Amino acid sequence: MREALRLDGASSTYLLDTSSFGVPRCLYWGPRLGDLDEGLTLALAEPVPQASLDAPPLPSIFPEAGLGFFGQPALRGHRDRRNFATRFLLERALAAAGRIELHLEDPIAELALTITIAMDAETDVLTLTSALENRGKTPFSLDHCAAACFTLNGLIREALVFDGAWSREFSPRRAQLTRDALVRENRRGRTSHDRFPGLIAGERGFGDHHGAVYGFHLGYSGDSRIWAEILPNGACSIGLGESFAPGEIALSPGERYASPEVYAATSSEGLDGLRDRFHRFVRRHITRKRPPRPVHFNTWEAIYFRHEAKALSDLVARAAEVGAERFVLDDGWFRGRNDDSKGLGDWSPDPAKYPEGLGPLIAEVRAAGMKFGLWVEPEMVNPDSDLYRAHPDWAQNLDPLPRPTARNQLVLDLTRAEVTDYLFATLDNLLRDHAIAYLKWDMNRDLAAAGSAGIAASHRQTRAFYALLDRLRTAHPEVEIESCSSGGGRADYGALRRTDRIWTSDSNDALERQRIQRGFSLFFPPEVMGAHIGPALCHVTGRAHRLSFRAATALFGHLGLELDLRALSREDTAELARLIALYKRFRALLHEGSSVTLPVADPGRIAYGVVSADLREALFAIAQIDLPALDGSPLVRLRGLDPRARYRVRLLDLEAPARAIAVPHLARFQGDGVLLRGDALLRAGMNLTIPWPETALLIHAAAENE
Ligand code: GLA
């Protein structure tokens, strides 16, 4: 077929019609197609509706306003009030090695547009960008420029988006897609807790294991705008890009705006298909290859700001004793930092707490066989700090408007080179002078009054943050970095490309975590999901959970401990050590295998697991998050196993395995377990007991040689 460019992965095809002079349109994106016939373009031609323009513009991959496209446009802007309507012409289309590059030009508006679309042949994930260049002699005011737009077929009518709040990240919400655009705009200057820049669209009623679905994510840590709407022709139009404040971007002559990346995938088997594609893609292209991720001990919920030598020594000893491999010193270590009102900006050890600096503590940590990690929040400054007293002008401001504080802090203006140079030098020195293997990079507030020299600056601030991280990573490639922002406020692929782990949530409440981790895991694989065993009584929710539930929940991420180990009884210490050993035994499986979810009939349950690449081993969790709706024990059907293999299925011994509200059927799954064929486990399932609410069962399946 002429004029169509195609990208093929293992399971999908993306087809672009370049036969018109204008912006190409996507003819098809879905399950993989074979050879194409000439008639396909004709077969997919749009009829001209009554009461419309005679030749209505077809929804393209960069829909332009002004000449008759009435949906959400990809581009909004003007040149001194003119050129608000564009008409890009396709100059060149290059297609090679899984990548299409389109060069377009609008000679009247004097703009050039480059669109790139790449498909990763192994995972089928698309990476898309756009770039706009001002070829005129006067500035072009850019109000919006989509990074990528999609037109999906007329059966896509339902969306899944993620709302949230501090300690309640990744709260799923379903929305019907209608003619009224669903617009999700984040203007907080960080990825945010409440508007994760991603969206799933699918056939009505799509679920974990069924339905055609499309997943989208803008890999960006700043302001975002995502929309989905049904067009008059019935197609579903979706767009993702940065959100700009008025006047934020004015392209000077010759200047170019390059969008962040959009990542997109499709699956005809529901959300698990997307989850699998995104996880494999992140492993191949977003994160660095790393040796086994060490078990963390983090000091925050153990001592908060009270850093005392004796307490720290005890914690070092106890952390090593239970099996921690990295000791992360959280907030409270630097000059004047006794609470959250002071010190941010003054990144040298507090002489009152560390009279000889951090050296002795680091030596102790290393002598105990652990690596050392340190908490920093470089982008921030407390007004009560030496840095602010010396450079009040370094804080972002829109003087003479007030400077609103959050957690008593202001944001440094990273668009100023002297500020990022200072931050780079400070961090560089810290890393040069100490054996620091890990930075927990925090960012604890929204940008408000996100301006610099009177002009909106969220875009420039975000890019400067990336540049600072890139510079530091180049200088210290061996140092791992965690992206934290009051918990999971900076979870996105833009941040993850420059870091190694995401702090998922400040809530270590295992019940909340079950829900949060489920949403998070759609886009991120388990090994980047920071998951800690907190204290029995959660400081965020006041709920108490038994150790077994906290451990079973944290096991499915990158495990850490964040509790006062000094307060544990002997028995609990031994139990914790046993659970950490259990985690280490399964770490490779958990961090390299494929994540699956299990179907549950009972809304009071969340069930999921990880299966090894060769399908020989799997670990599943059945978390009872609420009382069951029914008396009977619902069947558990496993997923991802080899139907022909025979598995030994065992219940892993947690703290209180036999405690249950139904007659326990569990005994036969303990000890040597039960031998069952994969097809029976997948199709017939198992009748396990109903555990107490807020407990979990862990099921291990290992294939036997026949
Ligand atoms: C943020 C982080 C926490 C902790 C505190 C320290 O809230 O999300 O994990 O590091 O800051 O002040």
Side-chain angles (χ1 to χ4, degrees):
M1 200 176 73
R2 269 178 299 122
E3 322 278 23
L5 300 178
R6 65 185 289 175
L7 295 170
D8 291 301
S11 64
S12 64
T13 295
Y14 180 93
L15 207 60
L16 206 60
D17 176 11
T18 53
S19 61
S20 82
F21 294 109
V23 183
R25 75 172 177 132
C26 177
L27 268 187
Y28 171 85
W29 177 32
R32 176 148 184 168
L33 298 179
D35 289 344
L36 302 178
D37 297 309
E38 297 248 348
L40 185 64
T41 320
L42 264 186
L44 292 172
E46 298 267 342
V48 177
Q50 291 290 344
S52 81
L53 301 182
D54 289 335
L58 294 171
S60 74
I61 57 167
F62 198 80
E64 295 165 273
L67 291 176
F69 177 77
F70 301 114
Q72 299 284 319
L75 185 71
R76 286 176 208 262
H78 61 96
R79 189 187 297 282
D80 198 15
R81 300 174 64 205
R82 296 170 183 276
N83 301 134
F84 68 97
T86 59
R87 183 161 175 268
F88 283 100
L89 301 175
L90 183 62
E91 294 291 309
R92 257 178 316 140
L94 311 171
R99 189 167 186 276
I100 297 175
E101 196 174 301
L102 304 167
H103 294 271
L104 301 113
E105 222 178 303
D106 181 338
I108 298 167
E110 297 186 296
L111 294 171
L113 172 69
T114 310
I115 294 175
T116 63
I117 310 164
M119 185 186 278
D120 177 40
E122 212 163 288
T123 64
D124 287 69
V125 173
L126 293 169
T127 303
L128 308 99
T129 60
S130 72
L132 189 79
E133 188 184 319
N134 179 7
R135 296 244 170 111
K137 293 198 172 53
T138 55
F140 185 83
S141 306
L142 189 59
D143 299 336
H144 182 71
C145 181
C149 296
F150 304 83
T151 316
L152 307 175
N153 71 58
L155 295 175
I156 303 305
R157 285 292 182 271
E158 191 168 318
L160 172 65
V161 295
F162 293 93
D163 295 335
W166 174 75
S167 283
R168 194 75 205 251
E169 293 84 347
F170 287 91
S171 292
R173 176 164 61 85
R174 294 270 179 159
Q176 295 305 312
L177 294 173
T178 67
R179 293 296 314 281
D180 294 333
L182 167 76
V183 180
R184 300 198 26 100
E185 191 149 13
N186 164 39
R187 291 189 291 265
R188 294 183 184 272
R190 56 172 161 172
T191 321
S192 88
H193 294 85
D194 61 342
R195 282 177 171 77
F196 172 70
L199 176 136
I200 315 279
E203 291 174 343
R204 280 211 173 90
F206 67 82
D208 288 320
H209 311 117
H210 69 274
V213 282
Y214 293 84
F216 307 92
H217 170 49
L218 181 76
Y220 189 58
S221 314
D223 295 335
S224 59
R225 183 169 193 277
I226 297 180
W227 71 87
E229 67 177 335
I230 303 302
L231 298 175
N233 71 353
C236 171
S237 167
I238 290 183
L240 304 93
E242 275 186 70
S243 167
F244 301 139
E248 183 160 9
I249 309 281
L251 295 178
S252 318
E255 206 185 351
R256 189 170 190 262
Y257 163 76
S259 79
E261 277 92 7
V262 165
Y263 302 92
T266 177
S267 149
S268 43
E269 319 97 47
L271 297 172
D272 266 21
L274 289 182
R275 176 181 279 111
D276 181 58
R277 285 165 180 74
F278 282 133
H279 286 195
R280 285 188 292 122
F281 181 81
V282 167
R283 286 173 181 167
R284 276 169 62 81
H285 297 288
I286 304 282
T287 52
R288 304 187 287 184
K289 299 280 163 290
R290 284 277 150 205
R293 290 167 183 261
V295 174
H296 280 192
F297 173 80
N298 180 294
T299 59
W300 181 238
E301 290 196 36
I303 53 170
Y304 299 99
F305 296 102
R306 295 182 305 274
H307 291 210
E308 290 154 12
K310 171 78 173 72
L312 284 162
S313 287
D314 287 351
L315 288 171
V316 168
R318 283 172 193 255
E321 182 194 329
V322 293
E325 297 157 316
R326 187 185 270 152
F327 188 94
V328 181
L329 189 68
D330 210 283
D331 197 356
W333 61 269
F334 47 97
R335 239 160 52 233
R337 188 70 168 174
N338 295 321
D339 53 40
D340 64 17
S341 69
K342 292 192 188 64
L344 289 175
D346 300 339
W347 299 110
S348 63
D350 190 330
K353 296 175 189 173
Y354 298 93
E356 293 164 63
L358 292 176
L361 175 64
I362 296 177
E364 225 177 308
V365 167
R366 286 161 64 87
M370 294 182 289
K371 295 199 163 158
F372 182 78
L374 191 65
W375 180 94
V376 286
E377 196 179 356
E379 297 150 86
M380 299 293 156
V381 65
N382 284 122
D384 193 351
S385 67
D386 292 342
L387 182 69
Y388 190 78
R389 280 182 282 274
H391 300 284
D393 54 317
W394 280 14
Q396 258 193 358
N397 66 77
L398 286 176
D399 293 351
L401 287 175
R403 300 181 173 196
T405 53
R407 208 189 187 204
N408 306 305
Q409 61 200 54
L410 295 169
V411 184
L412 288 171
D413 183 349
L414 302 191
T415 70
R416 297 174 57 159
E418 64 271 39
V419 176
T420 45
D421 284 347
Y422 162 80
L423 291 176
F424 175 78
T426 307
L427 295 166
D428 184 50
N429 286 336
L430 258 179
L431 296 177
R432 271 176 209 283
D433 296 348
H434 302 92
I436 297 174
Y438 185 84
L439 287 178
K440 176 176 173 185
W441 185 301
D442 210 339
M443 192 282 198
N444 277 316
R445 61 161 291 176
D446 297 328
L447 307 191
S452 180
I455 296 170
S458 173
H459 161 84
R460 284 181 289 148
Q461 177 84 5
T462 308
R463 301 304 173 101
F465 156 63
Y466 283 165
L468 178 59
L469 267 181
D470 291 343
R471 195 171 161 194
L472 201 68
R473 284 261 277 204
T474 308
H476 300 276
E478 69 296 343
V479 174
E480 290 179 43
I481 303 180
E482 171 169 30
S483 170
C484 173
S485 183
S486 326
R490 211 182 233 169
D492 64 80
Y493 290 4
L496 189 58
R497 272 168 70 138
R498 298 167 167 91
T499 56
D500 301 276
R501 182 200 214 228
I502 292 169
W503 183 228
T504 318
S505 176
D506 274 353
S507 179
N508 288 323
D509 176 318
L511 182 62
E512 297 296 333
R513 275 295 187 129
Q514 287 287 343
R515 301 191 192 106
I516 295 168
Q517 294 181 183
R518 176 65 160 244
F520 182 93
S521 81
L522 251 173
F523 296 90
F524 303 94
E527 68 272 21
V528 305
M529 179 172 79
H532 292 178
I533 300 175
L537 190 75
C538 173
H539 71 166
V540 169
T541 61
R543 281 197 201 106
H545 289 122
R546 47 179 50 78
L547 180 56
S548 56
F549 187 48
R550 286 178 277 143
T553 305
L555 207 70
F556 281 81
H558 174 202
L559 183 75
L561 316 172
E562 193 170 337
L563 70 170
D564 191 350
L565 297 172
R566 296 168 303 171
L568 292 190
S569 66
R570 275 183 161 283
E571 296 74 48
D572 278 354
T573 306
E575 181 59 7
L576 186 59
R578 195 179 71 80
L579 291 164
I580 291 169
L582 187 81
Y583 167 78
K584 288 180 182 169
R585 187 174 135 211
F586 294 117
R587 175 160 46 188
L589 167 67
L590 289 162
H591 291 181
E592 291 162 27
S594 319
S595 295
V596 295
T597 64
L598 304 184
V600 286
D602 172 10
R605 268 186 181 188
I606 296 184
Y608 49 91
V610 179
V611 184
S612 67
D614 62 5
L615 312 187
R616 303 286 296 167
E617 192 184 12
L619 189 65
F620 299 97
I622 298 170
Q624 193 70 36
I625 55 166
D626 207 345
L627 276 172
L630 299 168
D631 290 342
S633 151
L635 276 177
V636 173
R637 263 192 254 132
L638 302 183
R639 286 186 69 87
L641 300 177
D642 177 356
R644 291 174 307 269
R646 219 157 164 231
Y647 293 90
R648 185 166 295 283
V649 181
R650 288 175 49 232
L651 205 62
L652 290 184
D653 194 15
L654 289 180
E655 175 197 26
R659 304 274 171 108
I661 57 171
V663 180
H665 287 312
L666 296 175
R668 62 201 137 120
F669 287 100
Q670 286 163 345
D672 282 347
V674 183
L675 264 180
L676 288 164
R677 288 215 179 266
D679 59 354
L681 287 165
L682 295 168
R683 290 163 199 148
M686 300 179 293
N687 217 339
L688 296 171
T689 192
I690 304 170
W692 273 346
E694 299 171 36
T695 64
L697 301 174
L698 288 185
I699 298 167
H700 180 243
E704 299 258 309
N705 291 326
E706 303 210 39

